[in-house]
Amino acid sequence: MVKIATLCGDGISPEIVVATCAVIEAVKAYHKLDIALSHRNVGFHALKEHGVTITPEVIEHVQTCDGFILGPVSHNAYPPREEGGLNPSGELRRALTLYANIRPARSRANIPPKAGMPIDVVVVRENTEGFYADRNMHFGQADMLVTEDVAVSLRRITRSASIKIARQAFDIATTRSGRVTAVSGSPRFGSPSVSPLASPSSRSASKARSLRRTGSRWRKRSRSRPRQLPTA
């Protein structure tokens, strides 16, 4: 049996979760699959009932499942963290070590691609560090209002997490073109102290090759020559 938890959040979340469950039930019946859906509330519903937007019980339940579906949440409208306003997405990513945000983008036949030519790209993005203020610190937020006019934001970048995301990208690339493009921001805001793609340990047994691009150069090249940058 495959167990899937559905987490209903805020705004249009009920409509989306209900529609998603209807599709799963239809596929389940058509293919005679053994799938069990369970339902929990997060967001403002959970805040009103339990005083927190995602409870430890929900996280523990999700950990017993094979997967979960999280509906949209209005985390920017939540009260401060100390008043129960936790970001369900960030809490789940951290609790389940969901460090790889994998986003495929592929053009479809008979639909003119906006890039001007067919595109098939997979973007692999680190999900637990960087400029995520709600999951960078062991305790507390990484954003601080120092004075009325000055705010400071800290970002955590570790070699271990960087190598993990690089390995994920190389693993995906070996099933595709064998090329990985490392995309970073401006050199002024980059992280020269952590260069996972230059480390043999990040490649593991992969035969994939790596390139480097800043964000602006990658966006330009991905539009003009998308087939050259299949995994980033």
Side-chain angles (χ1 to χ4, degrees), residues 4 30 127 131 134 206 216:
I4 300 176
Y30 184 82
N127 224 14
F131 274 125
D134 64 335
S206 170
S216 58

Side-chain angles (χ1 to χ4, degrees), residues 15 17 28 35 40 42 77 80 83 90-91 100 106 110 115 136 138 149 158 183 185 190:
E15 295 95 318
V17 171
K28 171 185 173 181
I35 299 176
R40 298 290 190 277
V42 298
E83 296 177 17
E91 295 300 312
R106 180 163 61 91
N110 302 320
N136 256 341
H138 177 69
D149 301 314
T158 63
V183 182

Side-chain angles (χ1 to χ4, degrees), residues 19-58:
T20 302
C21 290
V23 172
I24 293 175
E25 292 292 352
V27 172
K28 171 185 173 181
Y30 184 82
H31 291 284
K32 296 180 173 56
L33 302 176
D34 192 7
I35 299 176
L37 296 177
S38 57
H39 308 281
R40 298 290 190 277
N41 285 328
V42 298
F44 281 115
H45 292 290
L47 182 65
K48 182 178 180 180
E49 186 174 354
H50 304 288
V52 66
T53 50
I54 181 168
T55 65
E57 184 276 330
V58 169

Side-chain angles (χ1 to χ4, degrees), residues 126 129 156-168 191 194-197 202:
E126 216 293 321
E129 293 188 341
R156 180 187 66 194
I157 302 174
T158 63
R159 179 170 294 278
S160 59
S162 299
I163 288 176
K164 279 199 304 184
I165 195 67
R167 282 178 175 164
Q168 184 69 60
S191 304
V194 180
S195 302
L197 293 180
S202 63

Side-chain angles (χ1 to χ4, degrees), residues 196-207:
L197 293 180
S199 170
S201 60
S202 63
R203 291 186 177 84
S204 181
S206 170
K207 296 181 180 179

Side-chain angles (χ1 to χ4, degrees), residues 168-180 206 208-209 231:
Q168 184 69 60
F170 277 108
D171 287 344
I172 291 174
T174 55
T175 66
R176 292 165 54 77
S177 70
R179 293 196 303 272
V180 174
S206 170
R209 297 185 296 113
T231 307

Side-chain angles (χ1 to χ4, degrees), residues 60-77:
E60 291 171 5
H61 174 68
V62 169
Q63 289 173 325
T64 67
C65 297
D66 298 291
F68 69 93
I69 297 168
L70 174 64
V73 293
S74 303
H75 64 274
N76 288 325

Side-chain angles (χ1 to χ4, degrees), residues 62-114:
V62 169
Q63 289 173 325
T64 67
C65 297
D66 298 291
F68 69 93
I69 297 168
L70 174 64
V73 293
S74 303
H75 64 274
N76 288 325
Y78 291 167
R81 187 179 182 87
E82 55 270 20
E83 296 177 17
L86 308 179
N87 180 356
S89 175
E91 295 300 312
L92 287 167
R93 289 174 181 177
R94 184 160 50 188
L96 303 176
T97 320
L98 302 177
Y99 64 89
N101 188 336
I102 301 174
R103 299 189 176 189
R106 180 163 61 91
S107 54
R108 302 290 178 176
N110 302 320
I111 301 178
K114 292 185 177 181

